[in-house]
Amino acid sequence: LTSIYIPASVTTIESNGFRDCTALEKVITPSIAAWCGISFPGNNATSNPLNYAHHLYVGSKESNSEVTDLVVPTGIEEIKALAFYGFTAMTSLSLPETVKKIDNYAFYGSTGLTEVTLPEGFEELGHYVFDGSTSLASMVLPSTLTKIGYYSFMNVPLLTDVYCNADPSTLSWQNNGSQFIADKGTYFHVAHPSAWIATFPDANVTYIGELTLSENDDNSEVLEENDGLLCNVQLTRTLRSGSYNTFAVPFDVSSEQLESVLGEGVKVKE
């Protein structure tokens, strides 16, 4: 068996449904919505033909096209367990705001993915979701996220940057000490690093604060909260062309850093 067409009438594929179908090269579904409607009970990868074929096509048996940029249609609320297990041909993933949950193993072994953004409104990330996604380098987690399951980010050696907008006080984060790159090589960008450090002190990440300092605001509280912590700082300052401009910051800024933002010829005076 090298190719299989699975019609929209199929809503469940039982455990071991495609066991040892190692010659499979092509799985055809009438639509991504139809594929998202299939359940694979038992967390058994041999029920999903993608585990062997690694390539998904949309259309009919006679006329179809390969999916590499996966766009999940609006209206889908959950990516079911094992849904895209072993889908190595996928290079990008787009999720609608209607998706609230990604269940266990849904994108396990997605070696072609390089970045993922979970939309606002998304709530729950199951177990082992992105385990083995060896090309994944960047991730955005929304403010609405309430759960990260066991080993969702295991074996992701290139995942250097996670931009997390979630609230640590309402987040359930399981096994946070045994995920991401070893030795805290993953940078976890957050608005309030001190709160994350207090809530998840054993997480295997390096917290980086993402701060914005405005010329019109009193920034003393923000600076006090993040004193001594690793932070990226964005300065909002109105500059006048053709004249001297000054600003004061509570940390060192080099002329090279200013030139990279404002252009050559900028001078730093201490």
Side-chain angles (χ1 to χ4, degrees):
L1 182 65
T2 59
S3 178
I4 182 79
Y5 175 78
I6 301 178
S9 57
V10 174
T11 57
T12 301
I13 300 177
E14 295 292 347
S15 183
N16 297 317
F18 287 90
R19 185 179 181 87
D20 296 330
C21 292
T22 56
L24 263 178
E25 299 175 351
K26 187 174 185 178
V27 177
I28 308 169
T29 179
S31 68
I32 296 301
W35 186 260
C36 288
I38 300 175
S39 296
F40 302 93
N43 285 338
N44 190 328
T46 57
S47 62
N48 191 337
L50 276 179
N51 179 44
Y52 300 103
H54 309 300
H55 295 267
L56 182 65
Y57 293 74
V58 167
S60 64
K61 285 185 285 187
E62 297 77 18
S63 177
N64 49 76
S65 57
E66 185 173 7
V67 176
T68 55
D69 300 316
L70 177 60
V71 179
V72 176
T74 298
I76 301 297
E77 297 183 357
E78 176 182 353
I79 307 299
K80 297 185 179 183
L82 297 164
F84 297 95
Y85 188 106
F87 185 17
T88 60
M90 176 175 56
T91 57
S92 69
L93 170 64
S94 177
L95 297 172
E97 292 183 355
T98 54
V99 171
K100 306 299 181 186
K101 177 181 178 180
I102 301 177
D103 210 343
N104 305 340
Y105 300 96
F107 295 103
Y108 184 99
S110 299
T111 57
L113 274 180
T114 58
E115 60 182 13
V116 173
T117 296
L118 300 181
E120 284 298 319
F122 182 86
E123 298 173 358
E124 185 175 339
L125 200 60
H127 308 316
Y128 298 93
V129 171
F130 293 103
D131 188 353
S133 297
T134 53
S135 299
L136 188 60
S138 178
M139 188 90 186
V140 177
L141 304 177
S143 63
T144 49
L145 183 67
T146 59
K147 179 181 177 181
I148 301 176
Y150 289 105
Y151 306 114
S152 287
F153 298 101
M154 285 291 289
N155 304 306
V156 283
L158 300 183
L159 186 54
T160 53
D161 292 283
V162 176
Y163 298 87
C164 184
N165 300 302
D167 182 348
S169 67
T170 59
L171 178 66
S172 171
W173 186 7
Q174 300 167 321
N175 283 87
N176 54 74
S178 57
Q179 301 186 51
F180 302 105
I181 300 174
D183 301 321
K184 298 190 175 184
T186 298
Y187 294 103
F188 216 72
H189 302 261
V190 294
H192 302 283
S194 57
W196 283 88
I197 292 170
T199 308
F200 301 108
D202 299 323
N204 184 37
V205 296
T206 298
Y207 292 110
I208 296 184
E210 296 293 333
L211 310 181
T212 298
L213 304 182
S214 173
E215 63 181 332
N216 298 317
D217 297 333
D218 180 358
N219 299 297
S220 57
E221 185 176 340
V222 174
L223 295 172
E224 182 178 355
E225 175 189 343
N226 295 281
D227 184 31
L229 301 179
L230 187 63
C231 296
N232 289 326
V233 179
Q234 179 179 350
L235 303 175
T236 60
R237 176 77 163 86
T238 302
L239 302 178
R240 292 174 296 173
S241 178
S243 63
Y244 288 105
N245 293 272
T246 62
F247 60 86
V249 291
F251 46 81
D252 293 334
V253 177
S254 68
S255 57
E256 290 79 10
Q257 288 175 308
L258 285 180
E259 284 184 354
S260 69
V261 176
L262 302 175
E264 295 183 0
V266 174
K267 297 181 180 180
V268 177
K269 182 174 179 61
E270 298 183 357

